[in-house]
Amino acid sequence: MTDNSGTRALWGGLRVAVLALLWGSTFLWIELALRGLSPLQVTFARCALGALVLVVACYATGHRLPTGVAVWRHIVVAAFFCNALPFALFSVGQQTVDSGLAGVLNATTPLWSIILGLALGSERGLRPVRLAGLLLGFTGTIVIFAPWRTTGATGWGALAILGAAASYAVAFTYMGRTLVRRGTPTISLSAAQLVAASGLTALAVPIGGLDAIDPGPTVLVAAVVLSVFCTATTFHLTYRIINDEGATNAAVVGYLLPVVSVLLGAVVLGEDLSIRVVLGMAVVLVGVGMTRRQGATAAPAEAAEAVPATETVTAAEAVTASEEPSAPGLATDLRPADAGPAPEDRPSDTPRPLLEKSGELGLTQ
């Protein structure tokens, strides 16, 4: 078997593009859902319905939710930093901060991720071209949103949104170091995290989520799309990217969100595209391309960490499983997370295995 790094990079880039498209459309569907639901009701609905979708997908592909207490403890912590805390901080921040400054502050997530990675030693392989791509992507985001046009008070609201962006970075890093590559399939992890997020959000419903609802057709469709595609699917794809390429590459998707939002605004809402916005989008795409140039071919440093023997599948079990019929992508999950092609088939410059073609996009794992 020959490792085709070009094909792997193509599938990785496609996964990032799909994640950016779905994640970037989140604000559009939230706006429609808010026509009949309160903000907290929208949050709870997307977490609960998204969790249901992933749990069904998990069991339909022959997997199950994690059972270990230690794993669930990590999942609850990840759900807090990736869901409950940033959602609350965004709600506070957007009361005094306009969308332009909020977009720039939200785009600091990849930078926070780099800082955490360097501090924790998981970004030892960071190269100048990749760092330049991260800074260039942030520069393009600033050009798109033009925060210098912001007027009015910001204060604590800006700090709240900055805290939300940092919270996402903490969550991605935490997920990369404690949950992925530990023998639990990513479909199980993503389903479990949304279950935990639903529980955390449910605790806050009595505080501000008991308002009367007005579920018209548009509101229901928006809520379903938001839950199934913009929450369930994006969570699973995020886990796949963290598993295969590391926390920083998952965070870089944040740079593409304003590009998707602007394009959707132009296509769906008929909004104008200024030269400044188009230039900013081009800069963002170049910057993200530079980060992908390094990130698609190098595994994250934490992949070298040993996987506890009690949480992995033995080689004999993997061989047995590969000889039996299974659902697409199932065999890939049954193999140890750090297993790959036979030594004689694996190029010395490729530290992580080539994913099975049927599971490259990550939708079946």
Side-chain angles (χ1 to χ4, degrees):
M1 179 174 60
T2 302
D3 185 359
N4 190 332
S5 59
T7 301
R8 185 178 67 245
L10 177 62
W11 279 106
L14 178 60
R15 184 186 301 161
V16 168
V18 171
L19 178 57
L21 177 62
L22 296 178
W23 204 350
S25 66
T26 297
F27 300 106
L28 173 63
W29 298 111
I30 287 179
E31 181 178 349
L32 295 175
L34 286 174
R35 294 179 180 179
L37 301 172
S38 70
L40 190 53
Q41 290 169 347
V42 171
T43 300
F44 176 72
R46 65 184 294 194
C47 288
L49 184 54
L52 176 62
V53 170
L54 285 184
V55 168
V56 171
C58 177
Y59 283 93
T61 53
H63 301 297
R64 62 179 183 177
L65 295 178
T67 56
V69 175
V71 175
W72 273 100
R73 184 170 60 248
H74 291 312
I75 287 173
V76 171
V77 172
F80 174 77
F81 283 105
C82 198
N83 302 100
L85 181 59
F87 287 172
L89 290 176
F90 274 123
S91 297
V92 172
Q94 289 186 316
Q95 293 178 359
T96 58
V97 177
D98 66 14
S99 60
L101 180 57
V104 172
L105 294 174
N106 186 39
T108 60
T109 295
L111 302 182
W112 286 113
S113 182
I114 278 290
I115 293 173
L116 286 173
L118 292 174
L120 297 175
S122 59
E123 285 291 347
R124 290 187 294 268
L126 181 64
R127 297 186 180 184
V129 65
R130 188 159 173 244
L131 178 60
L134 288 166
L135 297 176
L136 192 62
F138 183 67
T139 300
T141 303
I142 293 178
V143 173
I144 291 175
F145 285 115
W148 54 84
R149 301 184 304 174
T150 298
T151 58
T154 55
W156 290 106
L159 290 178
I161 294 178
L162 196 63
S167 181
Y168 278 127
V170 170
F172 292 167
T173 302
Y174 186 84
M175 290 153 64
R177 295 180 66 87
T178 64
L179 290 170
V180 302
R181 293 182 296 276
R182 294 294 186 272
T184 303
T186 53
I187 184 65
S188 301
L189 292 173
S190 54
Q193 182 164 328
L194 275 188
V195 169
S198 300
L200 292 174
T201 306
L203 295 176
V205 168
I207 299 176
L210 299 179
D211 301 335
I213 64 175
D214 182 19
T218 300
V219 173
L220 291 177
V221 170
V224 170
V225 173
L226 182 64
S227 303
V228 176
F229 297 102
C230 301
T231 302
T233 305
T234 56
F235 256 70
H236 183 51
L237 289 177
T238 298
Y239 256 111
R240 290 299 305 163
I241 295 175
I242 293 175
N243 181 81
D244 298 335
E245 302 178 25
T248 299
N249 281 331
V252 166
V253 177
Y255 286 156
L256 295 174
L257 303 190
V259 175
V260 174
S261 298
V262 169
L263 290 177
L264 286 176
V267 174
V268 179
L269 304 177
E271 298 176 349
D272 294 331
L273 287 178
S274 67
I275 296 178
R276 171 183 54 79
V277 172
V278 173
L279 177 62
M281 292 166 59
V283 173
V284 167
L285 294 176
V286 171
V288 171
M290 292 171 65
T291 65
R292 297 294 304 170
R293 179 181 176 186
Q294 295 296 323
T297 57
E302 61 263 28
E305 298 177 1
V307 178
T310 57
E311 297 182 2
T312 58
V313 181
T314 65
E317 291 172 335
V319 171
T320 301
S322 65
E323 294 174 351
E324 298 176 358
S326 61
L330 181 57
T332 306
D333 274 335
L334 289 176
R335 297 173 56 197
D338 57 350
E344 63 271 17
D345 294 331
R346 184 190 305 165
S348 59
D349 61 345
T350 304
R352 76 175 181 86
L354 175 64
L355 298 174
E356 294 295 334
K357 196 168 189 179
S358 63
E360 282 286 359
L361 190 56
L363 298 177
T364 60
Q365 298 184 25

